[in-house]
Amino acid sequence: MSEQGGHGSTSVTGAQSLVTSLEAAGVTDIFGIPGGAILPAYDPLMDSTRIRHILVRHEQGAGHAAQGYAAATGKVGVCMATSGPGATNLVTPLADAHMDSVPMVAVTGQVGAAMIGTDAFQEADIRGITMPITKHNFLVTDPADIPRTVAEAFHIASTGRPGPVLVDVAKSALQAMTTFSWPDELHLPGYRPVTTPHAKQIKEAVRLIRQARRPVLYVGGGVIRARASRELAQLAALTGIPVVTTLMARGAFPDSNPQHLGMPGMHGTVAAVAGLQKSDLIISLGARFDDRVTGNLDSFAPHALVIHADIDPAEIGKNRHADVPIVGDCKEVIAQLVALLTAEGADGDYEAWVAFLAGLKKSYPLGYDTPTDGSLAPQYVIERLGAIAGPEAVYASGVGQHQMWAAHYVGYENPNTWINSGGLGTMGYAVPAAMGAKVGMPDTTVWAIDGDGCFQMTNQELATCAINDIPIKVAIINNESLGMVRQWQTLFYNERYSNTDLHSKRIPDFVKLADAYGCVGLACESPDEVDATIEKAMAIDDQPVVVDFRVHRDAMVWPMVAAGTSNDEIKYARDLAPKFDEVEDDWEVRA
């Protein structure tokens, strides 16, 4: 492998060519598990001085770790698995990465080329299976194609709208002799992402911004993927327009900024939901009008014109008509909006609108009830965790109530510090994603905020963390339940709790489980122990820590818009709706 990174050629096995190609692509970390079809690649991987391979305990863990690594660093995450069940165990992470636009390359072994299609041992058509959930995928049967394919995979995964790419390599190609030659340039005639926006569209967008009276910056995860937080801050400061950040965009705009209304959507803040709903102009930046944001589409923001900027033209107009479509990279789009607004004047008349939303923010802040029995409020745990760990830490989350509380009650000031499964909603995401984030950011504190249900899906990766010196910290928000499902059963199914009781305060004992996995296990069940417990966990930096926070099981996520209903029907607590009319009348008088 002496030629790695060069353009010459030397005789090697396909497996050596694969490892050298990964090195040439800049890979330093791979999460994976060997098996028969991929085994030839693992032999030269052992000799690589550039790539650290982390042996996970389940391929799903490898995939989510690659996602967490990519989300925290902005680099392409890499995972590796064998054929058949090894590859199919990557399906969930691939689907997850596809929905959340995470740059990832999955390398899988495949049975020998002559055996493909014969139902050979551990054969699965992983290319066919993953076609709808990858940005692109490849099947390599000729070893000469390995370097070019790897180069193309990394280019496709990391450019345009990022996403997962699968490279499936036949075992026969790994075992055959070939010559390694890294390509000088790539020829992908069908793939030319547009990054620079059309000047005419920018001009029209600026015209609408200057005319609007009730504009809102609707910021999606594309702003984080485009690394455009600085440009967003400039646009917000220049215009004074209120900002909402979706679940995927938390941290793209500082929570401490007075212009920030919080997260919109089903569990969004009253101010953020109303800001979109009552706006006359939505400036959508790297967002996709997801159903969890819009509620019933027919009644969503009925009086708003829409400027929709996205790198993926397929997203524009998919769910909501765009009056000004802008195809381009968010970083370039926002920079050009700032430049033209600076030249033409960003003097919109938004004063009454800003005051109206500030009034809503003040009247309906995020809040929660303290349990009357002295037990632990989960929101309080997460609030204190965010305050003690601080905005420089990275927070990975599972899916459910704890995810929404973590989105609301941790203060996010920086991009790439909130990592979660937004589109697919994958339980079990947090622990392996935190592991990947910690590998990518070894000097940063990384907390996995997980539910007791989610944690039991992938907690075997604690062994990976303990053995490989990856000292993540895990906060289990243990309400003994599949909490979000239980909340829906409370609200919509007459409190008939069918199969949501996990008995997690009894089985398993999470402190003993952590100890068995070589981690420090802590438990906390009273409010006066919370700070000391978190600080104890923060002081341990040489091994993973798991904290079992035994919280009140009936706590609910509020605000909430019931699925399929209008955002106008938002409740800030059970059976309590905000009185928009009173605030709106006052706003109209001032306007």
Side-chain angles (χ1 to χ4, degrees), residues 252-383:
F253 191 73
D255 282 353
S256 59
N257 191 304
Q259 284 172 250
H260 195 202
L261 304 178
M263 182 177 78
M266 173 178 275
H267 293 294
T269 66
V270 171
V273 170
L276 286 176
Q277 200 68 0
K278 297 183 180 299
S279 64
D280 66 1
L281 178 66
I282 294 174
I283 304 142
S284 175
L285 304 168
R288 57 188 181 88
F289 292 88
D290 174 73
D291 64 287
R292 283 299 197 257
V293 167
T294 66
N296 183 304
L297 258 178
D298 293 338
S299 63
F300 173 70
H303 306 298
L305 297 174
V306 172
I307 298 166
H308 193 170
D310 203 289
I311 190 96
D312 183 359
E315 285 296 348
I316 297 175
K318 183 179 81 175
N319 292 330
R320 171 70 180 246
H321 170 73
D323 298 279
V324 180
I326 306 175
V327 178
D329 180 86
C330 270
K331 195 177 184 76
E332 291 193 43
V333 170
I334 299 170
Q336 291 196 24
L337 288 172
V338 167
L340 194 55
L341 281 164
T342 302
E344 296 193 0
D347 50 356
D349 181 13
Y350 316 138
E351 192 175 329
W353 171 239
V354 169
F356 164 66
L357 293 174
L360 281 180
K361 195 173 172 182
K362 185 178 179 180
S363 299
Y364 302 103
L366 287 169
Y368 55 89
D369 293 326
T370 301
T372 55
D373 60 1
S375 61
L376 204 47
Q379 302 95 325
Y380 177 72
V381 172
I382 292 168
E383 198 171 50

Side-chain angles (χ1 to χ4, degrees), residues 505-525:
K505 285 187 182 173
R506 189 167 56 88
I507 298 172
D509 182 324
F510 288 127
V511 175
K512 287 182 179 177
L513 183 69
D515 184 61
Y517 272 128
C519 307
V520 175
L522 305 172
C524 176
E525 51 190 331

Side-chain angles (χ1 to χ4, degrees), residues 175-196:
Q175 292 174 317
M177 297 304 294
T178 184
T179 55
F180 171 79
S181 181
W182 189 248
D184 289 309
E185 55 183 345
L186 300 177
H187 300 284
L188 295 164
Y191 182 69
R192 292 192 184 91
V194 174
T195 57
T196 303

Side-chain angles (χ1 to χ4, degrees), residues 244-554:
V244 302
T245 54
T246 68
L247 180 65
M248 292 305 299
R250 302 293 288 113
F253 191 73
D255 282 353
S256 59
N257 191 304
Q259 284 172 250
H260 195 202
L261 304 178
M263 182 177 78
M266 173 178 275
H267 293 294
T269 66
V270 171
V273 170
L276 286 176
Q277 200 68 0
K278 297 183 180 299
S279 64
D280 66 1
L281 178 66
I282 294 174
I283 304 142
S284 175
L285 304 168
R288 57 188 181 88
F289 292 88
D290 174 73
D291 64 287
R292 283 299 197 257
V293 167
T294 66
N296 183 304
L297 258 178
D298 293 338
S299 63
F300 173 70
H303 306 298
L305 297 174
V306 172
I307 298 166
H308 193 170
D310 203 289
I311 190 96
D312 183 359
E315 285 296 348
I316 297 175
K318 183 179 81 175
N319 292 330
R320 171 70 180 246
H321 170 73
D323 298 279
V324 180
I326 306 175
V327 178
D329 180 86
C330 270
K331 195 177 184 76
E332 291 193 43
V333 170
I334 299 170
Q336 291 196 24
L337 288 172
V338 167
L340 194 55
L341 281 164
T342 302
E344 296 193 0
D347 50 356
D349 181 13
Y350 316 138
E351 192 175 329
W353 171 239
V354 169
F356 164 66
L357 293 174
L360 281 180
K361 195 173 172 182
K362 185 178 179 180
S363 299
Y364 302 103
L366 287 169
Y368 55 89
D369 293 326
T370 301
T372 55
D373 60 1
S375 61
L376 204 47
Q379 302 95 325
Y380 177 72
V381 172
I382 292 168
E383 198 171 50
R384 296 307 303 151
L385 179 59
I388 293 169
E392 303 304 318
V394 169
Y395 302 88
S397 167
V399 168
Q401 288 180 314
H402 65 278
Q403 177 189 26
M404 296 297 105
W405 291 322
H408 278 315
Y409 291 103
V410 174
Y412 298 99
E413 299 293 309
N414 305 299
N416 304 98
T417 55
W418 165 245
I419 299 171
N420 84 125
S421 170
L424 197 63
T426 302
M427 292 180 67
Y429 177 86
V431 170
M435 175 173 73
K438 185 66 175 174
V439 170
M441 308 285 284
D443 299 324
T444 300
T445 298
V446 178
W447 275 94
I449 299 175
D450 219 357
D452 48 310
C454 288
F455 180 71
Q456 292 184 74
M457 293 192 173
T458 51
N459 62 31
Q460 67 269 29
E461 298 310 333
L462 289 174
T464 311
C465 292
I467 290 166
N468 291 281
D469 299 318
I470 306 168
I472 66 168
K473 305 181 194 303
V474 182
I476 305 173
I477 308 302
N478 181 2
N479 60 4
E480 308 175 71
S481 307
L482 298 172
M484 187 62 87
V485 185
R486 179 184 167 89
Q487 176 167 333
W488 282 46
Q489 288 172 333
T490 300
L491 296 175
F492 309 122
Y493 291 90
N494 300 315
E495 301 182 12
R496 288 165 55 82
Y497 299 119
S498 173
N499 291 283
T500 47
D501 191 342
L502 293 173
H503 303 281
S504 307
K505 285 187 182 173
R506 189 167 56 88
I507 298 172
D509 182 324
F510 288 127
V511 175
K512 287 182 179 177
L513 183 69
D515 184 61
Y517 272 128
C519 307
V520 175
L522 305 172
C524 176
E525 51 190 331
S526 72
D528 56 5
E529 297 172 349
V530 169
D531 281 22
T533 305
I534 294 169
E535 283 161 2
K536 186 174 182 179
M538 290 291 291
I540 299 166
D541 58 11
D542 58 350
Q543 63 189 125
V545 184
V546 177
V547 187
D548 180 8
F549 288 104
R550 296 162 185 170
V551 302
H552 189 69
R553 76 180 311 177
D554 292 322

